[in-house]
């Protein structure tokens, strides 16, 4: 194999980030699918381009489909990388492509694949690790996990799984039992790609690297929290997925609860996987049983006319809800969660509203809006604090002002990784901090099961709106921060 690209991304050299990465055989199941094409191949290539892949690695791609010419598979990978990452240098591509091969597993016959993985491990040396990425439908997960075990490929390997991790507590427990028959918990990496986003990790940085925020990050100073993830896109042809999953299982019991865990957790003793999971688990344990009367399900007008959707479908494409974390820090503070498809804007906004000062001492001050700390968790992250300030002039009149940090402006030349890239790198580093543990998954299902067994009927909402009227009223007089 030819020379490795030099790191051109994060500050420092390879030795900072990847010097100790063991050689890896990355095995992608579902390699002809959408996730592999949109995220995994472009992500792996980008890591390689940035010098963030291990010095020695191979990528073995597999699917049930047999290809007319498997040797042409790297060309399909190249097209995917170009489509999602733009043009690439041909010399660099040749070096990367030389490490990719396709091995079909027709009719669930994984013999050739197992042989290819063993051969690759042997070639890369005794410290080589395999990383199995299951980019496959949930119905296939358990059988593929068993196959890995049957061929004895689980030893020392890492397993990466995509959501959903079951669809209720019982199925999650069954899935976890199967996983644990073959893998130890420490070998399992459940991806929630929201946790790989730079901006989400910024919640940790803001809270625990500053003396300013953490002292007021509690019920004595905060009167509400909103975690708002509206999406403009509708289901974009994913009718089968939406009909079987719904927005609650797709977004709330996964991404939004994980965000809530990061916002609400106590300071961990260390920033490592065990300490963070310990704190997130405590938050999930403290969540009060969900109150069906404080949950609004919605469905956008025209959803039932989408191809592949049942004409009488009652699947929700929108959820807004109130959640309480009954612990010492958050008692009495409502957390409002909202997400949905075909809404007026696409945002990922976390807002903390602060209590008003105890005394209104400025004449004529009738403004009852709270100071708000707003975290925009976009790929171009920003943090705002909305405050009241004196309007310049002869009178002591108040107006609303804004303190703002634009992270890209603050750190020009910084080099963010896309969420999947960051998480793939973490798996290779063996760092499970940003992944979801078995305990978290089961606690969330235990919390959500009663609601999902008896969900509210979805209320219709117009496309490009902010959801059903009842959802708009949920946070009371102050309403939602968005639209702002
Ligand atoms: C996925 C959901 O996990 O996250 C999608 O299945 C959703 O329905 C997507 O649109 C949102 O992710 P992002 O990174 O585009 O905000």
């Amino acid at each position: 194999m030819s020379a490795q690209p030099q790191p051109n991304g994060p500050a420092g050299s390879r030795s900072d980030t990847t010097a100790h990465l063991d050689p890896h055989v990355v095995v992608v199941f579902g390699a002809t699918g959408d996730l592999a094409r949109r995220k995994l191949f472009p992500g792996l290539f980008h890591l390689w381009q940035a010098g963030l892949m291990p010095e020695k690695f191979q990528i073995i791609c597999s699917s049930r489909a047999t290809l007319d010419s498997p040797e042409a598979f790297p060309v399909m990978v190249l097209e995917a990388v170009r489509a999602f990452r733009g043009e690439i240098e041909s010399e660099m591509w040749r070096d990367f492509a030389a490490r990719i091969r396709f091995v079909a597993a027709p009719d669930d016959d994984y013999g050739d694949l197992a042989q290819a993985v063993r051969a690759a491990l042997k070639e890369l040396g005794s410290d080589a690790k395999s990383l199995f990425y299951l980019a496959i439908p949930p119905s296939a997960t358990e059988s593929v996990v068993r196959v890995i075990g049957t061929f004895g490929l689980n030893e020392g390997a890492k397993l990466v799984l995509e959501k959903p991790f079951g669809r209720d507590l019982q199925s999650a427990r069954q899935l976890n039992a199967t996983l644990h028959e073959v893998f130890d918990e420490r070998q399992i990496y459940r991806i929630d790609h929201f946790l790989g986003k730079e901006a989400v990790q910024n919640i940790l940085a803001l809270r625990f690297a500053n003396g300013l925020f953490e002292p007021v990050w509690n019920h004595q100073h905060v009167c509400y929290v909103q975690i708002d993830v509206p999406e403009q896109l509708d289901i974009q042809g994913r009718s089968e997925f939406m009909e079987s999953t719904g927005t609650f299982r797709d977004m709330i019991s996964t991404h939004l609860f994980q965000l809530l865990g990061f916002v609400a957790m106590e300071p961990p003793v260390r920033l490592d996987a065990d300490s963070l999971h310990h704190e997130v688990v405590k938050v999930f344990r403290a969540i009060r049983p969900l109150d069906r009367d404080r949950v609004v399900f919605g469905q956008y007008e025209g959803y039932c006319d989408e191809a592949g959707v049942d004409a009488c479908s009652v699947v929700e494409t929108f959820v807004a809800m109130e959640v309480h974390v009954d612990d010492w820090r958050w008692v009495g503070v409502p957390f409002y969660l909202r997400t949905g498809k075909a809404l007026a804007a696409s945002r990922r906004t976390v807002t903390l509203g602060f209590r008003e000062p105890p005394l209104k001492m400025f004449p004529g001050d009738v403004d009852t809006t709270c100071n708000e700390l707003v975290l925009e968790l976009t790929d171009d992250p920003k943090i705002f604090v909305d405050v009241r300030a004196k309007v310049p002039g002869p009178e002591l009149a108040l107006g609303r002002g804004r303190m703002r940090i634009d992270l890209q402006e603050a750190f020009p030349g910084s080099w963010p990784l896309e969420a999947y890239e960051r998480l793939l790198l973490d798996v290779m580093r063996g760092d499970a901090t940003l992944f979801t543990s078995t305990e978290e998954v089961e606690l969330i299902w235990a919390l959500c099961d009663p609601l999902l067994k008896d969900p509210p009927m979805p209320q219709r909402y117009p496309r490009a709106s902010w959801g059903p009227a009842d959802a708009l009223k949920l946070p009371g007089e102050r309403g939602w921060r968005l639209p702002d």
Side-chain angles (χ1 to χ4, degrees):
M1 305 256 164
S2 29
Q4 253 320 78
Q6 284 311 300
N8 57 6
S13 64
R14 171 178 299 285
S15 62
D16 290 338
T17 320
T18 57
H20 305 299
L21 279 188
D22 289 328
H24 270 78
V25 179
V26 179
V27 185
V28 181
F29 287 87
T32 49
D34 197 46
L35 177 69
R37 209 173 69 83
R38 279 187 308 116
K39 297 290 184 187
L40 305 186
F41 297 138
L44 286 165
F45 180 73
H46 193 222
L47 286 175
W48 151 259
Q49 212 179 14
L52 293 173
M53 285 296 282
E55 208 169 327
K56 293 200 274 179
F57 71 95
Q58 292 191 28
I59 302 174
I60 300 182
C61 302
S62 185
S63 82
R64 282 173 164 170
T66 44
L67 301 181
D68 291 342
S69 57
E71 54 292 342
F73 188 76
V75 179
M76 287 169 63
V77 177
L78 173 62
E79 280 161 12
V81 176
R82 278 196 179 130
F84 294 95
R85 276 284 172 186
E87 237 357 279
I88 56 186
E89 235 177 76
S90 58
E91 196 184 324
M92 190 164 255
W93 170 252
R94 269 200 307 278
D95 291 342
F96 183 76
R99 298 163 190 252
I100 305 174
R101 60 180 296 210
F102 182 86
V103 183
D107 304 323
D108 291 334
D109 176 356
Y110 291 91
D112 290 350
L113 179 65
Q115 213 174 348
V117 174
R118 282 196 201 105
L121 285 169
K122 197 164 166 203
E123 194 183 322
L124 295 188
S126 57
D127 51 351
K129 301 271 180 313
S130 40
L131 181 168
F132 295 100
Y133 199 117
L134 307 195
I136 53 179
S139 54
T141 302
E142 292 187 48
S143 61
V144 170
V145 166
R146 288 207 172 92
V147 165
I148 296 172
T150 307
F151 281 100
L153 296 172
N154 47 336
E155 209 172 304
K158 296 158 185 174
L159 178 76
V160 187
L161 294 174
E162 284 285 332
K163 73 177 170 63
F165 311 122
R167 49 177 296 108
D168 54 21
L169 182 58
Q170 196 192 348
S171 55
R173 280 188 176 147
Q174 186 193 317
L175 171 65
N176 289 335
T178 307
L179 297 177
H180 290 141
E181 277 169 29
V182 181
F183 291 96
D184 290 341
E185 179 70 7
R186 291 206 176 267
Q187 294 175 279
I188 302 170
Y189 295 80
R190 293 181 190 81
I191 286 220
D192 185 307
H193 79 277
F194 264 48
L195 296 189
K197 291 177 190 282
E198 285 282 344
V200 174
Q201 296 155 54
N202 222 338
I203 299 174
L204 298 180
L206 190 75
R207 289 189 57 188
F208 305 132
N210 295 292
L212 182 59
F213 300 107
E214 197 49 29
V216 293
W217 205 272
N218 57 51
H219 72 102
Q220 279 159 334
H221 300 278
V222 174
C223 51
Y224 57 85
V225 178
Q226 296 186 1
I227 301 178
D228 206 357
V229 185
E231 294 186 281
Q232 268 177 316
L233 292 180
D234 58 19
I235 58 165
Q236 301 276 297
R238 294 164 81 210
S239 55
E240 198 185 327
F241 172 77
M242 188 50 99
E243 282 285 271
S244 62
T245 309
T247 289
F248 192 97
R249 288 186 173 89
D250 182 30
M251 298 291 291
I252 296 274
S253 58
T254 53
H255 306 319
L256 274 79
F257 270 124
Q258 287 296 331
L259 287 180
L260 187 148
F262 270 49
V263 171
M265 72 164 80
E266 292 298 319
V269 285
R270 267 182 293 281
L271 274 183
D272 60 20
D274 287 347
S275 311
L276 252 96
H277 289 302
H278 179 74
E279 297 306 335
V280 171
V281 158
K282 277 165 53 190
V283 172
F284 293 158
R285 284 215 185 105
I287 295 180
R288 193 187 293 174
L290 302 176
D291 177 356
R292 189 178 181 276
D293 293 339
R294 303 297 291 156
V295 180
V296 181
F297 276 20
Q299 188 187 79
Y300 64 80
E301 285 169 3
Y303 171 73
C304 289
D305 304 327
E306 302 263 16
V309 171
D310 186 322
C312 305
S313 173
V314 289
V315 165
E316 78 289 358
T317 61
F318 172 98
V319 180
M321 63 195 294
E322 183 180 291
V323 174
H324 285 267
V325 181
D326 284 338
D327 64 9
W328 195 269
R329 179 181 287 262
W330 293 114
V331 63
V333 179
F335 284 68
Y336 296 104
L337 275 46
R338 175 170 72 170
T339 185
K341 304 285 184 213
L343 293 177
S346 289
R347 298 278 288 274
R348 299 178 207 108
T349 308
V350 174
T351 305
L352 278 76
F354 289 87
R355 297 192 187 283
E356 286 185 66
L359 183 66
K360 278 217 169 293
M361 57 196 305
F362 292 87
D365 176 17
V366 287
D367 190 349
T368 55
T369 51
C370 298
N371 295 149
E372 286 185 328
L373 169 66
V374 184
L375 308 169
E376 285 293 348
L377 308 176
T378 60
D379 296 333
D380 176 11
K382 294 185 177 57
I383 301 168
F384 305 114
V385 185
D386 282 349
V387 292
R388 284 190 222 148
K390 179 184 174 302
V391 180
E395 308 300 334
L396 188 44
L398 297 180
R400 293 192 202 157
R402 174 172 278 191
M403 301 196 282
R404 169 191 156 108
I405 309 174
D406 179 323
L407 289 148
Q408 284 190 356
E409 256 173 52
F411 304 104
S414 60
W415 204 79
L417 288 180
E418 196 272 338
Y420 273 90
E421 295 167 8
R422 166 66 201 253
L423 295 173
L424 279 163
L425 180 60
D426 281 357
V427 179
M428 290 187 282
R429 291 195 277 218
D431 181 353
T433 308
L434 299 175
F435 296 80
T436 311
S437 69
T438 297
E439 198 178 1
E440 287 166 43
V441 168
E442 295 188 4
L443 278 169
I444 289 176
W445 283 127
L447 188 69
C448 298
D449 262 9
L451 179 80
L452 290 172
K453 280 194 184 120
D454 182 22
M457 270 304 277
Q459 302 172 21
R460 295 260 182 286
Y461 61 93
R463 279 172 173 271
S465 70
W466 288 93
D470 281 357
L472 293 177
K473 289 187 233 145
L474 194 68
E477 258 174 43
R478 287 213 170 88
W480 294 90
R481 159 89 199 182
L482 299 180
D484 52 9

